[in-house]
Amino acid sequence: IICSFDEVIDWGGARESVNLQQIATFTEMYSHEERLAKMIQESKMQEAKEEMKRKAAAIRSQRGDGDRLGIFGAEIGRVMNSAGLGGLAQDLGLTGQQRAMMGDAGAGSGRSGISSASYAAQQQALAASDPMASMGSGGGFGGGMGSGAFGGGSSGISSSDFGGGIGSSARATAAPVAAQAGRGGMSLGKGKKQDSLLAAMRAEGEVVDALPIPARSSAAGTSAGAAPAMSVPTEGVHLSTVEKISVTLNRDGGVESMEVKGDLMLRVLNAEKGAIQVAVKIPNASAAFQLRTHPNIDKALFSSQNVLGLKDTSRSFPVGNPLGILRWRLQSKDESMIPLMVNCWPSENGSESQVNLEFELVGSQELRDVTISVPTHTGSSAPKLVDCDVGDFSYNQRTQSAVWTIARVDSSARNGNLEFTTPLVDPSSFFPTSVSFSSKNTFLQLSIAGVSMSATGEPTTYSSDVMLSTEQYIVA
């Protein structure tokens, strides 16, 4: 009615010249705009409801992930306790007592985390029940591990919580920890449980040693001044001759492939000795070896004088990082060139599989740390050793393989035999048999004749080492 009356009277109060049909038309137009505004409002309300549902679902998902993470943390704590790392589990809040205290604090704060004050209170309670547990955790994580870290919250650890914990807990425990360390130090877990864990790892074939105990000295300067001994004497210039050999032998004793890759690596440690030339001797160089120099090396100088130097004599070799200045390659199927011939003879003997292994040194190279590994696929059932005339025999339960190790193979001990039995398996299960070794004798008998300065030709001191190792050596 008001809208209709408004169409008849203008702003000045005078009557407008309109009829009933025009008034009805104008009124319907106003109603259409009103309906359009209501539709827009309802659409916005619907979008707000959908957004609220999505956020609620995201919150529920985060809480579910936190619960699952709490279960995972409890499982880690159980495994660490069984492995003799109970002290570390308590420091990380993975023990049942600490998780219960964290759960209580998290429930009171709506899964929002533990403040530094509440964490300190928990540590005092732990100290009353287990003084050794609080000793390891006083200054480790600081003040605020949120319940979401292991119990399923969403806040976790905040930077302010770290500051509060370090300021209070670390100061409170600094003196007792220092006094305890002065008397004899702290140990992680219990010694017997640690020894049992290492024994279990060794039983699975892992090569592990006991944790080292650092020697305590009355004078701090004595231990600080001691320097570790270097395995290779290194001068301002160091040259390394490195070769990798890859061999594939067939089960009949033939050679399928053989490849040798070598590098002469130069490492300059003194910038004053960067502009140098390296003279080499290659007595057995032949067409069988493919030699290539670095692109920056003067190839003409190397071809004529066997000297490795830069094309631009005003430049220097890079300092600090090793640089390959010479590379060579050898490919052959000649059985007389391989260093070690290995044969594996599996056979069936009733309800068992019998395996005979033998090796023979082909050339005159001295091989060290020879290891022959035969896959058995017998699970936890270790093979039974029948005979081993040289070296040591062991079983790697993790890789399920029989391992034959020989410290050294040379002209005085060129051959070896090994025999063992396993539960009956397919003979092909014992392949591929892998071999590894190292040697100080390379195929390319390269030697360093001398190192001199490029500008003056004056000789300079250098150090060198030689190493041949296996990249892949298998019987397939």
Side-chain angles (χ1 to χ4, degrees):
I1 295 175
I2 295 176
C3 292
S4 300
F5 184 76
D6 182 63
E7 296 297 332
V8 179
I9 305 298
D10 63 5
W11 288 99
R15 182 180 181 278
E16 293 188 358
S17 178
V18 293
N19 53 33
L20 293 177
Q21 185 177 359
Q22 290 176 335
I23 293 174
T25 301
F26 295 153
T27 305
E28 289 178 0
M29 291 174 63
Y30 287 141
S31 300
H32 175 71
E33 293 176 356
E34 183 181 0
R35 287 196 299 271
L36 182 61
K38 289 183 178 180
M39 291 175 61
I40 293 174
Q41 186 178 5
E42 291 176 357
S43 176
K44 291 182 178 179
M45 294 177 63
Q46 187 65 26
E47 290 180 0
K49 291 180 180 179
E50 294 295 333
E51 181 67 19
M52 183 176 62
K53 291 180 180 179
R54 285 194 295 268
K55 289 186 177 180
I59 292 174
R60 288 195 297 270
S61 176
Q62 290 178 357
R63 290 181 177 177
D65 293 341
D67 293 339
R68 288 190 293 271
L69 186 59
I71 297 174
F72 179 69
E75 183 64 19
I76 292 178
R78 186 187 64 79
V79 173
M80 293 177 69
N81 285 326
S82 62
L85 301 176
L88 180 58
Q90 290 176 346
D91 294 344
L92 298 177
L94 298 177
T95 59
Q97 182 180 4
Q98 285 181 324
R99 286 197 305 273
M101 296 176 66
M102 287 183 179
D104 295 339
S109 60
R111 297 177 180 266
S112 62
I114 303 176
S115 64
S116 58
S118 59
Y119 184 81
Q122 293 170 16
Q123 293 303 312
Q124 292 176 1
L126 279 175
S129 59
D130 189 358
M132 294 301 294
S134 62
M135 183 180 298
S137 60
F141 277 87
M145 181 182 297
S147 60
F150 295 102
S154 59
S155 295
I157 306 173
S158 65
S159 58
S160 61
D161 291 339
F162 263 105
I166 295 175
S168 58
S169 299
R171 286 194 300 267
T173 57
V177 169
Q180 182 68 18
R183 288 193 298 270
M186 294 184 296
S187 61
L188 185 63
K190 296 183 178 180
K192 294 183 179 179
K193 291 185 178 180
Q194 176 180 312
D195 294 340
S196 63
L197 175 61
L198 296 177
M201 294 175 67
R202 294 190 186 99
E204 293 183 0
E206 295 288 347
V207 180
V208 294
D209 297 324
L211 294 177
I213 301 175
R216 293 187 298 272
S217 175
S218 58
T222 304
S223 60
M230 299 184 65
S231 58
V232 178
T234 303
E235 298 288 343
V237 177
H238 186 76
L239 293 158
S240 299
T241 304
V242 181
E243 277 190 349
K244 296 281 187 178
I245 180 172
S246 300
V247 175
T248 300
L249 306 174
N250 57 40
R251 303 180 187 183
D252 299 328
V255 179
E256 294 290 334
S257 64
M258 171 185 168
E259 182 179 35
V260 177
K261 296 179 181 179
D263 289 278
L264 177 61
M265 308 297 295
L266 169 65
R267 185 177 184 182
V268 178
L269 300 177
N270 188 349
E272 297 179 355
K273 297 183 178 182
I276 57 173
Q277 293 180 339
V278 181
V280 296
K281 292 181 179 180
I282 312 177
N284 63 336
S286 63
F289 289 92
Q290 302 174 9
L291 280 75
R292 300 177 62 184
T293 60
H294 190 276
N296 292 333
I297 297 295
D298 190 346
K299 293 180 174 58
L301 181 63
F302 175 71
S303 301
S304 59
Q305 304 179 29
N306 280 347
V307 174
L308 297 164
L310 293 173
K311 295 177 182 178
D312 187 357
T313 56
S314 63
R315 298 178 58 186
S316 301
F317 287 101
V319 179
N321 297 323
L323 175 67
I325 57 177
L326 180 64
R327 181 171 295 175
W328 60 92
R329 182 183 179 190
L330 170 66
Q331 287 183 316
S332 176
K333 290 187 178 180
D334 188 358
E335 295 183 6
S336 63
M337 295 191 68
I338 64 173
L340 190 68
M341 179 66 70
V342 178
N343 290 315
C344 180
W345 303 85
S347 60
E348 297 182 2
N349 185 10
S351 60
E352 294 181 332
S353 292
Q354 183 176 350
V355 181
N356 291 88
L357 278 174
E358 62 176 359
F359 70 84
E360 180 181 1
L361 183 66
V362 178
S364 59
Q365 294 173 308
E366 178 184 314
L367 307 181
R368 300 180 180 180
D369 302 324
V370 179
T371 302
I372 303 174
S373 180
V374 183
T376 60
H377 303 285
T378 55
S380 59
S381 178
K384 298 179 181 179
L385 178 63
V386 178
D387 181 37
C388 180
D389 60 358
V390 62
D392 299 317
F393 176 78
S394 62
Y395 178 64
N396 191 326
Q397 184 175 350
R398 182 173 61 86
T399 60
Q400 298 186 23
S401 57
V403 182
W404 186 16
T405 56
I406 306 97
R408 185 176 64 181
V409 177
D410 54 14
S411 56
S412 62
R414 305 181 63 91
N415 304 308
N417 293 276
L418 172 74
E419 181 181 350
F420 65 89
T421 61
T422 68
L424 185 62
V425 294
D426 185 68
S428 61
S429 301
F430 300 103
F431 297 94
T433 299
S434 60
V435 184
S436 65
F437 55 81
S438 63
S439 176
K440 293 295 183 180
N441 305 108
T442 57
F443 283 84
L444 182 67
Q445 298 175 8
L446 180 146
S447 60
I448 308 300
V451 178
S452 60
M453 304 301 297
S454 301
T456 62
E458 180 183 357
T460 183
T461 58
Y462 67 93
S463 58
S464 63
D465 64 324
V466 180
M467 178 60 67
L468 167 69
S469 60
T470 57
E471 186 172 21
Q472 186 183 45
Y473 206 111
I474 59 174
V475 181

